mmCIF file of all heavy atoms in Angstrom:
data_model
loop_
_atom_site.group_PDB
_atom_site.id
_atom_site.type_symbol
_atom_site.label_atom_id
_atom_site.label_comp_id
_atom_site.label_asym_id
_atom_site.label_seq_id
_atom_site.Cartn_x
_atom_site.Cartn_y
_atom_site.Cartn_z
ATOM 1 N N VAL K 494 -16.483 14.491 -6.168
ATOM 2 C CA VAL K 494 -17.706 14.994 -6.799
ATOM 3 C C VAL K 494 -18.765 15.174 -5.727
ATOM 4 O O VAL K 494 -18.972 14.279 -4.892
ATOM 5 C CB VAL K 494 -18.231 13.992 -7.865
ATOM 6 C CG1 VAL K 494 -19.474 14.541 -8.538
ATOM 7 C CG2 VAL K 494 -17.155 13.672 -8.895
ATOM 8 N N THR K 507 -16.924 18.871 1.327
ATOM 9 C CA THR K 507 -16.009 20.015 1.417
ATOM 10 C C THR K 507 -15.058 19.862 2.593
ATOM 11 O O THR K 507 -13.855 20.129 2.488
ATOM 12 C CB THR K 507 -16.828 21.327 1.574
ATOM 13 O OG1 THR K 507 -17.816 21.359 0.557
ATOM 14 C CG2 THR K 507 -15.949 22.545 1.465
ATOM 15 N N GLY K 607 -27.838 9.614 2.509
ATOM 16 C CA GLY K 607 -29.188 9.555 3.104
ATOM 17 C C GLY K 607 -30.234 9.328 2.055
ATOM 18 O O GLY K 607 -30.503 8.185 1.657
ATOM 19 N N VAL K 636 -22.711 6.975 6.175
ATOM 20 C CA VAL K 636 -22.433 7.876 7.300
ATOM 21 C C VAL K 636 -23.013 7.376 8.628
ATOM 22 O O VAL K 636 -22.776 8.002 9.666
ATOM 23 C CB VAL K 636 -22.905 9.325 7.015
ATOM 24 C CG1 VAL K 636 -22.150 9.910 5.832
ATOM 25 C CG2 VAL K 636 -24.414 9.394 6.789
ATOM 26 N N GLU K 642 -27.797 -0.255 7.197
ATOM 27 C CA GLU K 642 -28.880 -1.250 7.274
ATOM 28 C C GLU K 642 -29.949 -1.001 6.218
ATOM 29 O O GLU K 642 -30.460 -1.929 5.596
ATOM 30 C CB GLU K 642 -29.508 -1.242 8.669
ATOM 31 C CG GLU K 642 -28.670 -2.000 9.677
ATOM 32 C CD GLU K 642 -28.968 -1.607 11.117
ATOM 33 O OE1 GLU K 642 -30.089 -1.144 11.395
ATOM 34 O OE2 GLU K 642 -28.046 -1.750 11.954
ATOM 35 N N LYS K 680 -33.124 40.631 22.747
ATOM 36 C CA LYS K 680 -32.697 41.923 23.325
ATOM 37 C C LYS K 680 -32.413 41.823 24.821
ATOM 38 O O LYS K 680 -31.497 42.441 25.345
ATOM 39 C CB LYS K 680 -33.786 42.981 23.094
ATOM 40 C CG LYS K 680 -33.860 43.437 21.671
ATOM 41 C CD LYS K 680 -34.158 44.915 21.552
ATOM 42 C CE LYS K 680 -33.880 45.448 20.161
ATOM 43 N NZ LYS K 680 -34.058 44.497 19.074
ATOM 44 N N PRO K 713 -40.963 34.841 27.196
ATOM 45 C CA PRO K 713 -40.497 35.429 25.942
ATOM 46 C C PRO K 713 -39.312 34.626 25.422
ATOM 47 O O PRO K 713 -38.461 34.183 26.207
ATOM 48 C CB PRO K 713 -40.069 36.846 26.335
ATOM 49 C CG PRO K 713 -39.898 36.831 27.804
ATOM 50 C CD PRO K 713 -40.668 35.684 28.374
ATOM 51 N N ARG K 730 -46.192 30.929 7.195
ATOM 52 C CA ARG K 730 -47.655 31.027 7.355
ATOM 53 C C ARG K 730 -48.079 30.456 8.699
ATOM 54 O O ARG K 730 -48.938 31.023 9.381
ATOM 55 C CB ARG K 730 -48.353 30.272 6.205
ATOM 56 C CG ARG K 730 -48.362 31.040 4.887
ATOM 57 C CD ARG K 730 -49.402 30.469 3.925
ATOM 58 N NE ARG K 730 -49.144 29.075 3.586
ATOM 59 C CZ ARG K 730 -48.333 28.676 2.611
ATOM 60 N NH1 ARG K 730 -47.710 29.562 1.855
ATOM 61 N NH2 ARG K 730 -48.149 27.396 2.357
ATOM 62 N N ARG K 742 -37.598 34.414 13.586
ATOM 63 C CA ARG K 742 -36.775 35.110 12.587
ATOM 64 C C ARG K 742 -36.375 34.116 11.496
ATOM 65 O O ARG K 742 -35.790 33.077 11.797
ATOM 66 C CB ARG K 742 -35.493 35.660 13.229
ATOM 67 C CG ARG K 742 -35.713 36.719 14.307
ATOM 68 C CD ARG K 742 -35.919 38.099 13.695
ATOM 69 N NE ARG K 742 -34.847 38.493 12.799
ATOM 70 C CZ ARG K 742 -33.774 39.185 13.163
ATOM 71 N NH1 ARG K 742 -33.608 39.549 14.409
ATOM 72 N NH2 ARG K 742 -32.864 39.537 12.268
ATOM 73 N N ASP K 758 -29.611 28.556 22.565
ATOM 74 C CA ASP K 758 -29.631 27.698 23.761
ATOM 75 C C ASP K 758 -30.028 26.273 23.386
ATOM 76 O O ASP K 758 -29.547 25.315 23.971
ATOM 77 C CB ASP K 758 -30.640 28.249 24.776
ATOM 78 C CG ASP K 758 -30.281 29.666 25.190
ATOM 79 O OD1 ASP K 758 -29.270 29.828 25.892
ATOM 80 O OD2 ASP K 758 -30.993 30.614 24.781
ATOM 81 N N SER K 768 -30.290 10.375 8.275
ATOM 82 C CA SER K 768 -29.341 9.262 8.256
ATOM 83 C C SER K 768 -28.239 9.528 9.275
ATOM 84 O O SER K 768 -27.689 8.607 9.863
ATOM 85 C CB SER K 768 -28.741 9.088 6.868
ATOM 86 O OG SER K 768 -27.983 10.216 6.551
ATOM 87 N N ALA K 788 -35.065 9.013 15.607
ATOM 88 C CA ALA K 788 -35.286 8.313 14.334
ATOM 89 C C ALA K 788 -34.005 8.258 13.527
ATOM 90 O O ALA K 788 -33.116 9.098 13.692
ATOM 91 C CB ALA K 788 -36.362 9.033 13.519
ATOM 92 N N GLY K 790 -30.484 7.734 12.026
ATOM 93 C CA GLY K 790 -29.158 7.638 12.644
ATOM 94 C C GLY K 790 -28.969 8.609 13.796
ATOM 95 O O GLY K 790 -27.884 8.647 14.397
ATOM 96 N N LEU K 803 -33.783 12.906 22.672
ATOM 97 C CA LEU K 803 -34.426 12.232 21.545
ATOM 98 C C LEU K 803 -35.916 12.131 21.853
ATOM 99 O O LEU K 803 -36.290 11.535 22.867
ATOM 100 C CB LEU K 803 -33.843 10.822 21.380
ATOM 101 C CG LEU K 803 -32.346 10.730 21.066
ATOM 102 C CD1 LEU K 803 -31.842 9.291 21.256
ATOM 103 C CD2 LEU K 803 -32.068 11.177 19.632
#
Side-chain angles (χ1 to χ4, degrees):
V494 182
T507 309
V636 297
E642 281 159 26
K680 287 217 165 30
R730 283 197 299 274
R742 297 277 306 268
D758 301 290
S768 65
L803 298 167

